[in-house]
Every structure is written in structure tokens, then in C-alpha cells.
Amino acid sequence: MRNWLHKYKSYKQRTSVPIPDRILDHYRDELIDIRLPVTISHLRTILGENDDFEVREFRVFGRYDAAVVFLSTMADLERINEQILKPLMFSDNNARDQGTEDYLKLNDVMNNYLNVALAVKTNELGLILEGIMIGKVVLVIDGNEEALVVGCRKVEKRAIEQPQTEQVLRGPREGFIELLDTNLNLLRGRLRTTDMRVKISPIGARTKSKVAVCYLEGVANPKLVQETLRRISKIDTDGILDSGYIEQFIEDHPLSPFPQVQNTERPDKTAAALLEGRVAILVDGSPFALIVPALFSQFYQTVDDYTERFLMGSFVRLIRLMALIFSLIFPSLYVSVISYNPELLPTDFAVAVAGGRAGVPFPAVLEVLIIEISMEVLREATIRLPQLIGGALSVVGVLVVGQAAVSAGFASPITIVIIAVTTIGSFATPAYNGAISLRMLRFPLIILAGILGLYGVMVGLILIANHLLFLESFGAPYLYPIVPGNWEAMKDTLIRGPLWWLNKRPSYLQSYDGNRLPSDDAKPDSARPLQFSDKEETNRD
Amino acid sequence: MIRAYPVTAIRATAVVISTIIGVGVLSFPKIAAEAADSGAPLVTLAAVGIAFAGLVILAVLVRRYPKENIMQFGGRLIGKRVARCFNLLLILFFATSTGLSLREFGEVVIEVLLPETPIKFTIMVLLLITVISCRCTVIKFSYVHSFYLPSIVAISFVMFFASLKNYDTVNLMPIIGNHPDGFWKGAMSIAALFQSAFVLCLLIPYMRNPNKIVASTIWGVGISGIIFLLIVVSSISTFGAEETKHLKFPTLEAARSATIPDGALERLDGIFIIVWVISVFTTLFSTYYFSVAASKETFGLRDHRLISSFLLPYVFIVSLLPRDVFILTSTGVPIYRFGLLLTIGYPALLLLISTFRGHRRITDASNA
């Protein structure tokens, strides 16, 4: 027993074996040589096997031996020409005459000739290699103990487009793209406050993907920020290729069907979340930002709720909530009423249903399951098809699943209606991962309905509700603000209260600053009614 | 990470109400009618009074020890061994009561919804979700109750109002009943339905403001008492006392007679039973959770989740023991009445001892 316990403990405390970046670790502590040819040959032995590894040797001002080292696929060749080679090789430079010493000091080059913003002096080989790998250019000048690592990365990016998964009728049309810098730029453009903090660190032993954690200082609870950073720093994997990877490492309950981290392609949504006191996580290479903590109520909320007037927003939100519930329980209710308790239906309708089902050879539960599954297959097929073929497929799908199935005696018309309402309901849910979790749970409910009728459906619903009640996202109760109840947050849950009513931040985030606006006596003296100046505001963007 | 949400007074009230309203509501008008025929509402009122007294005694007692639950301070007050005996009796009683309620609801489901399904199966399903849910903490326990409370209260009132049109107030006369021989016995039997609210003694260490537990108890018993009164009035006035005595589940029958005029649903009793699953679940959840949590304290375990699975066979066997619904009532009701001795007597004893020892309520000032 003790032995076993010991084994268990050592298993639990097992420290991970770090995946080495072999070349980097090997040369981490080495310094570069003062002689140019030695340094270059050293670099060639390390990276020379790559065909895109380039060493361009030249003479600075026609006098001093130097070289720029870079990966031709990563570095921006135009900028190397314009910003590094041109100023250093330009023969008309008066520096040529000043240089009386045997060698050119790197400091002089950096201070006087290079017109590049990002440049770092270093003599560590590890840093130099790392720089080359991410597209920087290394300038080595003979006779210097240090080299200059110049930021000159070639940035390939697609244009900023409207987010495909979260379209809005009214609201900003910008979406995140794959480049972290651009995404942070979009975010900072919306939050022009000095309180915004961005912490970037490389995650993934081999990919070293840049992961940025953003929050508003003084608004987000420091414990939440710490917990987020702690969970991210504990991620131990070789590669992070999308923010979805991060989500799976930091969520509270990996076995739950419900997502506990929200993802969004929209900078405005991310900014709104930061203003509420949440924490956003962005990953280089992924157009999706993660937002923690995430609650159930966020599944059926959209940007449109807030950009439209509040009565419309509230109405649409209620409709969406109903659609959400439909998509979960409609088929199972149908199966249980048809197979166990048809007496609950009004007589006329019950007769109509029985008439429709007259030729169908299967029990209701089997019929619904078959149609549901074919509907899911159809949905899955249309997602990945090119749009040209997608249209043809949906026509075939409509014909097969709709008309033909009924006339073939395969399914009753009412079943088709039920499944259609369910599917449309699940498409009306804005969050794809939220919708799919409920779609998944629909199947066990249908089977329970087939076994135990309405009683089974109720038992299944209690189980789901209890699971939701027990669920937490970063310590926040998942069904908040319904349970535990909170009046302030209820204003923006089932309905969307008017914006002037929503002057408190959600209390479960326990923001430092619970009020969105300072109270009247806390306002500084300088706060006065906004006056628009006659002059056009100078915009530095 | 972020602090836990302590149990608020409103949530404590929710626990009390949703625990009290359970499967017993379906059959208690029969007990009341048997005790004092048309005096049934009065019997119920007396029962509410008894339960009220008992639970307030408990609430006053636990308020004196806001950092502990009854298993912990009980040992200090009357000695470890005696307290342990009482604890074991309580565990046994609540586990048995879980089993009997399960069986009773199983009978209802068989009668209304699933006449051909084996009762073992319907019982097992409900028991399983109770056992799975009991693996949570006390704070989550209170979440569950407050989540379901609105639907429980709503369905109770809907049933009352939906069956209003069949009322005949003549059935309620005379108010004191024609033969009120078994008045107090009946009152005790109905008061016994309230005793599962004993579970509130688990909440006190987790409450934000432990002093409010008494107010929560009063509100909780008050609201559920009103619901009990409405239901007994509706059954007696719909069927009359004599007819009520012959019905297995008079509340259910009253629901069956209710209709929505030109409604989308032909019958309401099925819907009623479906929503009633919730209130039965919350009651089972409370009694089972109490047994589990009390076992954890009594046997000095660190975690209650394993116990939750260990108690399952006992509860399941108890629920299958009675041969039919009549034996179930004839054995169940005395067991519940015996439980009153335990759930009111034990706290009363402890309260007496604690008063003699000079323990008073710890006020906020001395607490801080």
C-alpha cells in the first residue's frame, strides 16, 4: 500500500522532461567571436544546412568587413536593402573620413547610421540564433565583440475582413486576423487607456508561439489575472497552433460538454469583455481571442443586442434563448408524447399525428434518431464544401430529408417539422461551441425519452441542470446570475437592459472597480460636461 | 480562485421550501381527511404549527454555533458516544425516508405515466441522479435548491388555480370536522413531512450571515405551509372528505380534474407529474445529502463522495421492501412520526443543555 502510494505521489509530482530546442540549447551560453570569418563560419555550420540561410558579406563604407545574416524566407529583403545595406554602403557618407581607428564601433553604427526602430546589441549566440529564426537580421562587423540583431521580419498577412462566424447586422465589421501584432493593434485602437496591460510570452516547446494575455489594470481582479497566467504558464506541450489548444489546456472541466472559455473573432467583443473585467488571451497565428471566465448566458448574447435599442435587443435575445431551449428538448418531448402519453395532446391534433405516422414502420424514437442523424450529417457536409457545391447539396438535402422521406413512408411529416424547428433553433444560437454542446446532449435525451417517456426527459434535464449548476469557469459559477442570483447582473441576462441602467460590472468577476462610472463625489474636479471644441481634433492614427 | 459564494438568507429559504415540498404533498390530504374529515385544513394548520416549532428550535440551536454543524457541536454538548448514537439514528432515518419517498414517487409514476415499466427501473433512475448529484459541496447543494425553487412554487400555485372551478365550499364545512378523533395523530403525520428541512443545520457553517437562519426558517416553513394549506383545501373542496379518504393521491386527482379551457393540452396531470419530478428530486436530494454528510462527520471521513455511493444499495433495498402502496403508507407514516421524535426531540434536548451550560448566541460583535 505504501509502495503504491509512493508510486502515485511520484507520478503526480513527475516533472516534465523539457523538449529541447537542440541547437539553441547547445549554443545558449556561447559568445560570438571577435573575428568576422570565425563567426560566419560558426553560423554556417549551425544553420548552413537550410537552403534559405543567407550570408551577405560586404564592406562598410568601403573599409570595414561586415556581413548581414538572415533567412531569406523570413526577412524582408527590401528593408534590408533600404535600411541596413544602403546607409552602411553609401560611399558619400562623411563617416568614411572620420573613421580613423582600425575597426568600426557597433555603437557608432547603431547610433548614427541605422534607421531602424528595433535593434538590439548582443554577444550571445543563443539570442542571435533565436533572432534569425523569427526573421530578424543579424549585422556582424569585424572587430566587434557584439552583433546587432535588427527587427526586419517580412510580414505576410491577409486583409482585415468581416468575421465569418460572428456576423452582425449593425456593429463594427472588423475581425481579428492571424497576426498577433495586428490583433493587438485592433484591440488597443478600441481601448485607448493606459490601464490596458498586455503580457506576451512564448508557449510551446517547439513552436514558441507568442501568447498575449490582455486585461485592464484596476478593473480585472488581480486574482483572476494571476490564475490565468498561472494556468497558461503550466501548459506543457510542443506546439500551440491555435488558441483552441490553449483553451483545452486551461479550462476547468475538460469532460464537460459545455465550453467554459469563450472565443471570438471580434475585437469589439473582446474590448467589451475587457471593460467588464475579464481577461482575453490572444495567440499568434490564430484569429480567435479567448475570453475567461465564460458563462452560460454568453452563448445567446451577440453584439447586435447592444448596438440596437434595448427593447429590440431584449426581444431578440429572448427569441434566441427560446431557440436554444427548443434545440435541446423539442425532439425528446415529441418522442415521449407520441410514444407514451398521446393523451396529453388535444384529440384533433393527436388524430392528425396518428394519421401522419400510419405508414411509418419504425417506433417514434428510431424515426427521430434517423432523421436527426441525417440532419447532422447534412449540416457537417455543408460546412466544408465549397460554396458552389454547397448549394447543390442543400437542394439534395432538402429533397431527401424533407419531401422524399415522407412520401417514401420513412418518416412522418410532423417529425420533419420537429426536426426542422430543432435544427433552425440550434443555428439561431450565436456561439457555435455552445450550440454544438446542446446538440450533442439532444441525443441522450431522445434515447431517454424512448425508454422512459416524459419522466426520462425530466430526469435527463435535471441531470443537465445539475451539471450546469456544479460547473465553474475560473471560479465563477456557470449559471450566474440566475444562480447564485444577482439583481444587477440580471439586467443584462434574459433581457438586455438600457445601457444607462447597466452601470455596474458583473459582480462575479469581483472587479476592483465594480462601478463602470465613478460616483459623483469621486469624480475629479476637472470632470465637466463634455464640450466639443471648434477645432478639429488632431488624430494621430 | 475567486471567493466562494456563501449561502445567503434567500438561498437558505429556498433550501427549506424546496426540501419540504416533495412527494408527500401528493398524498397528505388523505391523511388529513382520515384524521378529521372536513377538518383537514385545520389538521394541516396544526401540523404546520408543530413543524414550525420544531424547525425554529433547530434554527435557534444552530445559530448558537455558527461555525459548526450539528454533528460537531452535538458531541461536545452531550458526549461523543451519545451524540454518535443520535447521529447514527438520524442517518438511518433520513436514508430510510429517502427510500420510502422514492418508492412513493415510483408508485405515482407507474400510475400516471409509465404503467408498464417495472417500478425498480423508475426508482433506480431517480436514485442514480440523486446519488450523482450528492457528490457536490454544501454551497452547490444550495445552488441546486434555489435553481429549482421557482418551478416548484409555480407548479403548486398553478395546480391550485387550475382546479378552482371544481370547488364546492360546502365540502369544507364544518371546519373543525365531524369526527376529529385522530386530530393530533394526523397533525403529527403531516408535520413529519416537514422534517426533511432538518437539512438546514448543514448550511449554517457556510452562511454569509448565520444570524438570518431563523428568519429563513420562518419564511420557508411559512411559504410551504401556505402551499400545503392551499392544496388540502383544493382537494377537500373538490372531492369532499369522504371521497378524499378513498383516493391514493388526492392532490394528483385534483390536478387530473383540472383543465385549461380550450387549452393546447388535453390533460394537466401528466405535466404536473413531470414538473413534480423536480420537487421530489430536491427532497430526495436533501434527505440523501444529509445522510451522506452526516455519515462523513460521524465516521470522521474527509470526503463524502464515496459514502454517497455506499448508501445507494441500502436506500434502493428500503424502497423495494414494501409490497404495495398500502403497506408503504401503513409502515411509512409511523416511521415518519418516529422521525419527529428525532428531528425535534434531539435539537430540543441539545438546546436545553446548551442553555444550561450558558451558551448564548454568538453576536456579530464577539464574532468579529
Side-chain angles (χ1 to χ4, degrees):
Chain A
M1 182 71 189
R2 283 191 62 161
N3 191 17
W4 177 82
L5 209 68
H6 185 73
K7 261 188 185 170
Y8 178 73
K9 271 184 186 161
S10 62
Y11 170 75
K12 282 287 245 193
Q13 291 168 353
R14 190 179 52 162
T15 50
S16 62
V17 185
I19 304 170
D21 197 332
R22 285 192 323 214
I23 293 179
L24 270 186
D25 276 5
H26 192 253
Y27 294 104
R28 180 152 315 270
D29 300 326
E30 262 184 60
L31 303 179
I32 59 167
D33 199 276
I34 195 163
R35 290 159 296 176
L36 178 67
V38 179
T39 306
I40 288 178
S41 69
H42 204 157
L43 286 173
R44 267 197 222 276
T45 43
I46 297 169
L47 292 175
E49 277 181 51
N50 299 307
D51 289 338
D52 57 348
F53 179 74
E54 298 285 345
V55 178
R56 165 77 161 86
E57 294 181 60
F58 64 103
R59 290 177 75 85
V60 180
F61 311 139
R63 282 176 62 181
Y64 312 103
D65 283 332
V68 282
V69 185
F70 54 92
L71 291 179
S72 59
T73 48
M74 292 291 286
D76 190 339
L77 299 182
E78 293 243 323
R79 279 173 65 197
I80 295 178
N81 292 346
E82 279 298 312
Q83 297 173 345
I84 301 175
L85 293 182
K86 194 172 174 186
L88 292 183
M89 292 169 78
F90 192 49
S91 55
D92 198 24
N93 208 314
N94 53 5
R96 192 173 42 164
D97 312 318
Q98 289 176 358
T100 49
E101 295 167 43
D102 291 346
Y103 68 98
L104 183 67
K105 276 187 187 159
L106 206 59
N107 263 342
D108 286 343
V109 174
M110 193 164 146
N111 292 341
N112 300 334
Y113 307 118
L114 278 191
N115 38 357
V116 184
L118 297 171
V120 181
K121 261 191 320 182
T122 180
N123 58 354
E124 288 173 35
L125 198 57
L127 283 180
I128 290 173
L129 290 172
E130 221 169 322
I132 293 176
M133 295 321 292
I134 59 176
K136 290 183 173 172
V137 173
V138 177
L139 172 67
V140 197
I141 300 175
D142 192 29
N144 279 289
E145 284 176 345
E146 291 170 315
L148 206 56
V149 181
V150 183
C152 218
R153 185 180 165 193
K154 181 164 58 182
V155 180
E156 294 294 348
K157 60 177 181 184
R158 64 180 167 106
I160 292 173
E161 291 163 2
Q162 183 166 11
Q164 289 292 315
T165 55
E166 294 165 275
Q167 303 209 345
V168 290
L169 289 174
R170 181 175 172 182
R173 306 253 184 237
E174 282 177 336
F176 284 135
I177 60 167
E178 281 74 8
L179 212 68
L180 180 65
D181 297 351
T182 314
N183 294 348
L184 288 175
N185 173 298
L186 289 174
L187 202 55
R188 277 202 188 273
R190 282 177 172 72
L191 293 168
R192 301 176 191 185
T193 161
T194 47
D195 287 339
M196 182 167 161
R197 300 279 180 272
V198 178
K199 301 218 180 290
I200 302 180
S201 78
I203 308 282
R206 282 197 196 279
T207 59
K208 301 217 187 305
S209 316
K210 278 195 285 180
V211 174
V213 177
C214 314
Y215 59 95
L216 287 188
E217 181 86 47
V219 175
N221 188 324
K223 280 188 192 161
L224 174 66
V225 177
Q226 268 169 25
E227 175 69 14
T228 314
L229 291 174
R230 187 187 68 82
R231 289 191 192 183
I232 289 179
S233 63
K234 280 181 82 177
I235 293 176
D236 191 11
T237 181
D238 63 337
I240 299 288
L241 299 177
D242 186 84
S243 58
Y245 287 48
I246 301 262
E247 172 179 356
Q248 293 169 57
F249 278 110
I250 64 172
E251 65 189 347
D252 295 54
H253 307 270
L255 290 179
S256 166
F258 293 94
Q260 300 127 50
V261 177
Q262 191 184 14
N263 63 62
T264 179
E265 277 190 274
R266 307 188 58 86
D268 51 329
K269 212 166 168 179
T270 315
L274 292 185
L275 279 175
E276 282 183 337
R278 296 173 208 267
V279 175
I281 303 162
L282 288 91
V283 181
D284 200 15
S286 167
F288 286 92
L290 302 179
I291 295 168
V292 293
L295 304 183
F296 185 79
S297 57
Q298 288 167 1
F299 290 160
Y300 56 87
Q301 300 179 353
T302 65
V303 175
D304 282 316
D305 294 355
Y306 297 90
T307 48
E308 268 302 345
R309 298 172 58 244
F310 83 95
L311 278 176
M312 276 178 249
S314 303
F315 171 72
V316 177
R317 184 177 281 185
L318 281 176
I319 295 282
R320 242 181 270 126
L321 184 62
M322 262 167 56
L324 196 83
I325 295 170
F326 278 174
S327 75
L328 179 65
I329 62 172
F330 236 53
S332 48
L333 276 187
Y334 170 73
V335 166
S336 49
V337 169
I338 293 297
S339 351
Y340 288 89
N341 300 91
E343 79 273 7
L344 291 178
L345 298 173
T347 320
D348 297 345
F349 185 54
V351 169
V353 170
R357 279 188 49 78
V360 180
F362 311 115
V365 52
L366 209 59
E367 181 193 346
V368 168
L369 272 181
I370 290 172
I371 303 290
E372 277 281 10
I373 289 172
S374 45
M375 201 66 209
E376 289 292 308
V377 171
L378 191 67
R379 184 190 55 77
E380 186 61 26
T382 35
I383 288 179
R384 269 165 260 286
L385 274 183
Q387 283 194 336
L388 291 174
I389 315 175
L393 182 81
S394 53
V395 170
V396 173
V398 167
L399 279 180
V400 170
V401 179
Q403 192 58 40
V406 173
S407 26
F410 204 63
S412 74
I414 298 193
T415 309
I416 303 291
V417 172
I418 297 285
I419 303 298
V421 170
T422 314
T423 312
I424 295 168
S426 101
F427 284 150
T429 308
Y432 180 73
N433 51 359
I436 209 155
S437 65
L438 291 179
R439 265 214 298 271
M440 231 157 44
L441 290 171
R442 201 165 62 193
F443 289 96
L445 274 185
I446 294 173
I447 293 169
L448 269 175
I451 300 171
L452 284 168
L454 284 172
Y455 179 65
V457 176
M458 202 63 219
V459 166
L461 286 179
I462 290 180
L463 209 57
I464 294 173
N466 284 358
H467 173 71
L468 284 172
L469 286 164
F470 297 159
L471 211 57
E472 282 179 353
S473 169
F474 282 72
Y478 203 55
L479 278 189
Y480 179 96
I482 299 165
V483 176
N486 181 293
W487 167 240
E488 279 298 327
M490 279 291 246
K491 292 175 188 171
D492 187 20
T493 304
L494 297 179
I495 60 158
R496 200 276 285 174
L499 288 178
W500 35 264
W501 211 27
L502 308 174
N503 45 13
K504 291 237 167 49
R505 297 202 162 89
S507 75
Y508 69 95
L509 296 168
Q510 290 164 25
S511 314
Y512 255 20
D513 188 6
N515 288 323
R516 283 175 181 268
L517 295 173
S519 58
D520 285 339
D521 46 317
K523 272 181 189 159
D525 294 338
S526 58
R528 60 187 194 290
L530 192 64
Q531 286 171 348
F532 291 99
S533 60
D534 297 334
K535 278 185 289 183
E536 192 82 0
E537 192 195 353
T538 49
N539 216 337
R540 275 183 231 161
D541 292 335
Chain B
M1 172 213 47
I2 292 180
R3 66 154 164 74
Y5 288 75
V7 181
T8 55
I10 293 179
R11 248 188 285 152
T13 314
V15 171
V16 172
I17 298 173
S18 74
T19 302
I20 289 173
I21 297 180
V23 70
V25 171
L26 298 180
S27 59
F28 86 93
K30 176 188 165 84
I31 303 176
E34 277 168 357
D37 41 61
S38 63
L42 217 55
V43 177
T44 313
L45 196 65
V48 174
I50 296 171
F52 192 79
L55 288 169
V56 168
I57 288 175
L58 178 68
V60 169
L61 173 70
V62 294
R63 188 172 60 175
R64 290 190 179 176
Y65 306 95
K67 297 265 187 279
E68 301 162 294
N69 60 32
I70 197 163
M71 277 68 71
Q72 289 160 339
F73 66 75
R76 265 212 330 272
L77 283 177
I78 57 171
K80 285 237 159 65
R81 296 239 170 105
V82 188
R84 180 165 281 198
C85 286
F86 272 112
N87 290 347
L88 283 177
L89 276 175
L90 278 171
I91 295 166
L92 204 65
F93 169 69
F94 276 107
T96 313
S97 132
T98 312
L100 295 177
S101 317
L102 255 178
R103 174 59 183 271
E104 196 172 348
F105 191 65
E107 296 286 347
V108 177
V109 171
I110 295 287
E111 178 156 320
V112 182
L113 288 172
L114 304 165
E116 282 157 37
T117 311
I119 193 164
K120 294 187 192 73
F121 194 54
T122 49
I123 288 177
M124 196 62 191
V125 170
L126 199 56
L127 182 56
L128 269 180
I129 61 167
T130 313
V131 170
I132 294 170
S133 307
C134 275
R135 300 166 68 88
C136 65
T137 60
V138 173
I139 288 175
K140 298 281 170 70
F141 169 82
S142 71
Y143 285 0
V144 170
H145 282 286
S146 51
F147 181 74
Y148 292 122
L149 179 73
S151 47
I152 294 172
V153 174
I155 191 74
S156 310
F157 280 101
V158 165
M159 289 329 294
F160 173 72
F161 287 114
S163 52
L164 265 182
K165 67 170 184 179
N166 302 318
Y167 282 10
D168 193 349
T169 39
V170 171
N171 288 330
L172 290 170
M173 301 292 169
I175 267 182
I176 52 162
N178 289 318
H179 307 285
D181 314 325
F183 188 90
W184 288 109
K185 202 174 166 193
M188 297 293 261
S189 305
I190 296 170
L193 297 176
F194 284 71
Q195 64 190 329
S196 38
F198 193 80
V199 74
L200 69 90
C201 67
L202 290 179
L203 298 180
I204 191 90
Y206 298 92
M207 280 194 66
R208 178 181 289 166
N209 186 355
N211 287 326
K212 285 195 176 159
I213 187 90
V214 177
S216 298
T217 313
I218 291 171
W219 273 102
V221 178
I223 293 172
S224 34
I226 289 171
I227 291 173
F228 267 65
L229 276 175
L230 289 181
I231 283 173
V232 76
V233 166
S234 86
S235 323
I236 301 289
S237 62
T238 307
F239 300 115
E242 288 309 314
E243 183 64 27
T244 308
K245 286 180 196 171
H246 297 297
L247 298 170
K248 257 194 283 182
F249 304 108
T251 312
L252 194 59
E253 300 298 333
R256 199 167 271 182
S257 67
T259 48
I260 305 174
D262 289 330
L265 289 170
E266 194 82 354
R267 285 171 54 184
L268 283 181
D269 59 333
I271 300 300
F272 178 59
I273 285 305
I274 284 310
V275 184
W276 212 250
V277 176
I278 295 174
S279 68
V280 173
F281 164 73
T282 52
T283 309
L284 294 175
F285 185 46
S286 286
T287 50
Y288 198 82
Y289 194 87
F290 181 83
S291 317
V292 170
S295 311
K296 174 195 150 198
E297 290 295 338
T298 312
F299 301 118
L301 302 172
R302 215 185 299 165
D303 196 60
H304 66 274
R305 284 182 282 188
L306 200 61
I307 294 273
S308 171
S309 322
F310 278 155
L311 275 176
L312 185 145
Y314 173 75
V315 174
F316 189 54
I317 289 169
V318 166
S319 71
L320 293 182
L321 278 180
R323 206 175 315 137
D324 54 43
V325 68
F326 300 105
I327 294 179
L328 178 71
T329 6
S330 60
T331 53
V333 171
I335 290 179
Y336 287 137
R337 271 209 305 271
F338 160 75
L340 271 189
L341 207 64
L342 213 56
T343 54
I344 298 183
Y346 182 48
L349 181 69
L350 287 182
L351 188 68
L352 213 63
I353 294 173
S354 115
T355 314
F356 274 128
R357 288 212 176 168
H359 295 185
R360 284 268 170 254
R361 162 145 73 116
I362 302 168
T363 54
D364 283 335
S366 61
N367 214 353

